[in-house]
Amino acid sequence: MSEDKEHQLPESSTEENSTTDTSSNVAEGQDVQEEITEEQKTEESLDSVAKEPDAIDEIDESNAEDAEDEDTVKRHEIPMPDYHEMNMENLVGELQRLVKNEKVQAIRKHVDSIKDEFNQKFDEFIEEKKEEFIANGGNEIDFRYNSVDKRQFNEVYAEYREKRNQYYKSLEKSHKENLAYRLDLIEQLKALVNVEEDINTTYNNFKDIQAKWRHAGPIPKANYNNVWKTYHHHIEIFYDFLNINRELRDLDFKHNLEEKSKIVTRAEELAKEPDLNRAFRELQVLHKIWKEDLGPVGKEHREEIWGRFSAATKTIHERRQDYFKNLDQIKEENLERKNAIIEEIKEIASSVSSNHGTLQQQIKKIEELRETFFKAGQVPQKVNSKTWNAFKSAVREFNQNKNAFYKNLKKEQQENLQKKRELLDLAISLKDSEDWDVTTSEMKRIQSQWKKIGHVPRKYSDKIWKDFKNACNHYFDRLNALKNDAFKEEEENYKKKDACIERLKDFKLSGEKEKDLAAIKEFTEEWKKIGKVPFKKKNINQKFDKIIDALFHKCGVSKQESELLKYGNKIQQLKTTDNQEQAIQNERAFIRKKIDESKSEIRQLENNLEFFSNASESNPLVQDVIKRVNQHKESLAAWKAKLKKLNILKNNLTKDVNESEGVAGEEE
């Protein structure tokens, strides 16, 4: 019987109860109890079919955890990435994201996995740094290392623990109160069978207790199943002792059969669901409804309905078990790959090169193997520590041999010192130069070159670096001061352009198209000659373009034609550029990029239109997409026309070069 509807007992119920003899009441009560008990036995016997291995227990356990706190169920919705392949920085970022955006009670498994992976990687990182410190002459007892990643991780993890502790502290009190409330409802339910009152009143009190039970808050997971079983047990006792007439009981049976049939149908559909995690989560919900919200069905349907539900449960569970078996196989394959990587690292570690160039290649190879190891996926839990230790041992052996080699590279470090001194002398000679374009490029080059040079003896490293940095800073400070002067010039340019716009606003068309176009062209040429404006005020260029476009439109010039007319100014600029060929090449690359972007936008928007296949063209969303498609198509046509003009310029340039070379050849 639905708990969401109020049922009134038939008017004859009270009278019948008063006239029916005790033996018939007892017989009917026994019949009800026998049917309920029989359904329990049916479900318990068929449970064994679905419980292989422990399918129902697994569902009950998960439902109990979800019932403890409604937000806990969200843990199923949070993706579980492969944290093993993330580096320390990414692990910190992932932990920050979870703590900031997700419910603290839903991320425990994620946080534990991140913590384990971070600690493993940090331990390996510290070991490497310690070996480098010792190889450079340091004492192990003096080793200290301040890791930004570790500090950030500790801060975020401490924040997580604080939020978690505060949450569970407040939740504990609520759980105790809710548990006491539910136990009191059970006591009220038990008391109903001993109350001497009108059956309608008793039944209404029963429905009231059920309503209160449904709205009672969560209780501790440890108490969930026992409390529910106790509650359900006394529900059955109530049905037995209340001695409900058959008409009302049959209505209950009919409703329960209809609802359970829906559940079975959905469970059978889930048995074919490709997403096993989704199927299992929904199956949990179905079991929760079956178990908590619905009562027994008629005797003739009992075995069949529960058998179907059990069979569907078993199917999903077996598919899930197969998935995990397959996952175990994947982990075994990952283990084979990782063991092969470890052996390859060992082989390199046992034959570290005595040549600097070759050793650099080996270092690069070891880094590649390390990355491959981290991305190879998870291995079986039972060998995880063993595999990790073997990996660390192999990498450590290589690092020790590598460091032993570099410990004796005093000659090479002296060569590096000489190279850096030469770069320092060059930087000092350039620091007061005023040939800004050439010197800036050269200063950046020598800075890049400096980074590529290896270690120098420790006693020289700090001083030579300080002198080099001071020389570079001296030059770039002068350059920045010059840029400030250029900014003043850009401000002047802005004022000129603003004045040009004001004159353009007052410009009146004569009605003679050629004359008006020539006047507009003069404005654009004047605009181009003014020069750059401050970056924050560059929208003045858009304002100018809008006014020009409006004038072109009034002259009867289409948007595409106006774009080409304006582009004619660009073509004229390219003709007067010093390095004309390079300028044209850069412009062609820019236009081709714009063409590709326009095509991509059109494809994306046309794909979006497919989602509105059944929608009317009067739909505002459809109209907006169509409008944007047409705009991008117009833009694409304009860019193609510009490219055509540019190709003509390039071809003419090539022709002129070929003709000049031909004349030179004849003179020879």
Side-chain angles (χ1 to χ4, degrees), residues 602-646:
I602 291 170
R603 282 196 301 270
Q604 181 62 49
L605 290 169
E606 287 178 342
N607 287 339
N608 291 346
L609 279 175
E610 294 180 7
F611 292 104
F612 301 100
S613 58
N614 296 324
S616 169
E617 290 190 5
S618 61
N619 186 314
L621 291 176
V622 175
Q623 290 177 348
D624 179 63
V625 175
I626 293 174
K627 179 182 176 182
R628 290 165 62 194
V629 169
N630 291 334
Q631 288 174 344
H632 282 293
K633 285 184 177 178
E634 291 176 4
S635 177
L636 176 61
W639 286 116
K640 286 183 176 179
K642 290 179 182 179
L643 182 60
K644 184 176 181 181
K645 277 183 172 290
L646 196 61

Side-chain angles (χ1 to χ4, degrees), residues 250-275:
D250 289 345
L251 285 174
D252 260 351
F253 284 172
K254 180 181 178 182
H255 169 75
N256 293 337
L257 179 60
E258 290 173 353
E259 295 302 313
K260 287 189 174 182
S261 295
K262 293 176 185 177
I263 288 176
V264 171
T265 300
R266 181 55 187 155
E268 290 170 342
E269 291 172 355
L270 289 176
K272 302 173 184 177
E273 165 65 44
D275 188 338

Side-chain angles (χ1 to χ4, degrees), residues 1 42 213 224 236 269 336 483 557 591:
M1 177 179 294
T42 300
W213 182 272
Y224 172 76
E236 292 173 351
E269 291 172 355
E336 292 180 10
K483 288 182 177 179
V557 178
I591 292 178

Side-chain angles (χ1 to χ4, degrees), residues 78-295:
I78 304 174
M80 179 73 81
D82 187 355
Y83 296 121
H84 187 62
E85 69 176 31
M86 293 186 183
N87 59 31
M88 290 192 294
E89 182 180 358
N90 290 340
L91 288 169
V92 173
E94 182 66 12
L95 181 61
Q96 286 175 324
R97 186 190 67 79
L98 289 171
V99 174
K100 180 180 179 182
N101 300 325
E102 304 293 350
K103 299 288 186 181
V104 70
Q105 66 272 30
I107 60 174
R108 178 178 56 81
K109 291 183 180 179
H110 296 71
V111 173
D112 289 346
S113 297
I114 291 173
K115 181 184 177 185
D116 289 343
E117 291 297 340
F118 183 90
N119 286 338
Q120 286 184 349
K121 288 179 172 59
F122 181 73
D123 288 345
E124 184 205 6
F125 174 78
I126 286 298
E127 285 181 8
E128 287 183 5
K129 292 299 178 183
K130 183 186 292 185
E131 288 168 2
E132 289 179 10
F133 177 76
I134 295 172
N136 289 326
N139 233 333
E140 182 175 0
I141 195 171
D142 298 324
F143 174 74
R144 300 287 185 277
Y145 192 87
N146 182 22
S147 169
V148 175
D149 289 333
K150 180 63 173 175
R151 185 172 69 252
Q152 290 179 340
F153 179 86
N154 289 343
E155 290 173 357
V156 180
Y157 188 76
E159 180 185 353
Y160 161 74
R161 290 186 60 184
E162 178 66 22
K163 289 175 71 174
R164 184 192 63 185
N165 292 341
Q166 289 180 359
Y167 171 79
Y168 283 111
K169 187 176 181 180
S170 63
L171 192 66
E172 183 179 4
K173 180 181 178 182
S174 173
H175 279 173
K176 288 181 179 178
E177 293 173 353
N178 294 337
L179 177 59
Y181 180 60
R182 287 186 182 270
L183 293 176
D184 181 63
L185 289 176
I186 291 174
E187 291 301 319
Q188 293 179 38
L189 182 61
K190 290 165 62 176
L192 289 179
V193 300
N194 298 318
V195 174
E196 295 182 1
E197 61 184 1
D198 177 74
I199 192 169
N200 280 311
T201 302
T202 302
Y203 185 73
N204 287 334
N205 289 337
F206 167 70
K207 300 304 288 184
D208 182 55
I209 291 172
Q210 284 187 311
K212 289 178 180 178
W213 182 272
R214 284 198 305 272
H215 294 95
I219 62 175
K221 179 177 70 172
N223 302 100
Y224 172 76
N225 282 315
N226 284 338
V227 170
W228 179 86
K229 287 177 182 177
T230 304
Y231 170 74
H232 188 67
H233 171 70
H234 289 290
I235 289 286
E236 292 173 351
I237 291 176
F238 175 79
Y239 271 102
D240 179 23
F241 285 94
L242 185 59
N243 211 2
I244 301 175
N245 65 26
R246 288 189 176 276
E247 180 183 353
L248 185 58
R249 186 195 63 183
D250 289 345
L251 285 174
D252 260 351
F253 284 172
K254 180 181 178 182
H255 169 75
N256 293 337
L257 179 60
E258 290 173 353
E259 295 302 313
K260 287 189 174 182
S261 295
K262 293 176 185 177
I263 288 176
V264 171
T265 300
R266 181 55 187 155
E268 290 170 342
E269 291 172 355
L270 289 176
K272 302 173 184 177
E273 165 65 44
D275 188 338
L276 284 173
N277 285 331
R278 176 184 173 188
F280 191 74
R281 289 197 298 271
E282 189 169 342
L283 182 65
Q284 289 177 227
V285 176
L286 295 180
H287 272 271
K288 182 180 176 69
I289 296 171
W290 182 290
K291 186 174 182 181
E292 296 187 17
D293 297 345
L294 299 175

Side-chain angles (χ1 to χ4, degrees), residues 466-480:
K466 182 179 179 181
D467 292 344
F468 180 73
K469 184 174 68 171
N470 288 341
C472 293
N473 288 345
H474 177 82
Y475 172 78
F476 285 108
D477 287 344
R478 292 175 56 240
L479 179 62
N480 290 333

Side-chain angles (χ1 to χ4, degrees), residues 410-550:
K410 291 184 179 180
K411 180 181 178 182
E412 184 176 340
Q413 289 188 351
Q414 288 295 330
E415 292 174 354
N416 292 339
L417 178 61
Q418 181 59 32
K419 291 177 184 177
K420 288 192 173 183
R421 280 174 173 165
E422 291 172 359
L423 292 180
L424 172 60
D425 292 341
L426 182 56
I428 292 173
S429 70
L430 293 173
K431 69 186 181 69
D432 292 312
S433 172
E434 294 186 357
D435 187 358
W436 303 107
D437 291 337
V438 174
T439 305
T440 300
S441 176
E442 182 65 4
M443 289 294 276
K444 289 180 178 179
R445 184 194 68 79
I446 64 176
Q447 284 181 322
S448 175
Q449 192 67 27
W450 182 281
K451 294 177 182 178
K452 295 177 182 178
I453 298 175
H455 296 292
V456 300
R458 182 184 295 274
K459 62 181 179 179
Y460 300 111
S461 61
D462 289 343
K463 184 177 186 307
I464 195 170
W465 164 243
K466 182 179 179 181
D467 292 344
F468 180 73
K469 184 174 68 171
N470 288 341
C472 293
N473 288 345
H474 177 82
Y475 172 78
F476 285 108
D477 287 344
R478 292 175 56 240
L479 179 62
N480 290 333
L482 182 68
K483 288 182 177 179
N484 290 335
D485 293 336
F487 177 75
K488 295 177 182 177
E489 181 180 345
E490 289 175 357
E491 283 289 348
E492 289 298 321
N493 291 339
Y494 176 78
K495 293 177 182 179
K496 292 177 183 178
K497 286 192 172 184
D498 190 48
C500 180
I501 283 181
E502 292 302 319
R503 285 188 287 109
L504 187 60
K505 287 179 179 178
D506 296 334
F507 173 70
K508 304 295 182 183
L509 295 174
S510 66
E512 299 178 22
K513 185 174 181 179
E514 295 300 325
K515 180 181 177 181
D516 290 335
L517 290 178
I520 295 171
K521 184 176 180 181
E522 288 179 6
F523 274 108
T524 58
E525 288 176 352
E526 177 188 349
W527 188 269
K528 294 291 184 182
K529 290 177 183 178
I530 293 176
K532 294 193 299 183
V533 299
F535 180 79
K536 293 182 179 179
K537 299 180 179 181
K538 67 177 183 177
N539 62 336
I540 195 172
N541 295 318
Q542 297 174 356
K543 189 184 298 183
F544 176 80
D545 287 339
K546 286 182 179 180
I547 298 174
I548 291 295
D549 288 341

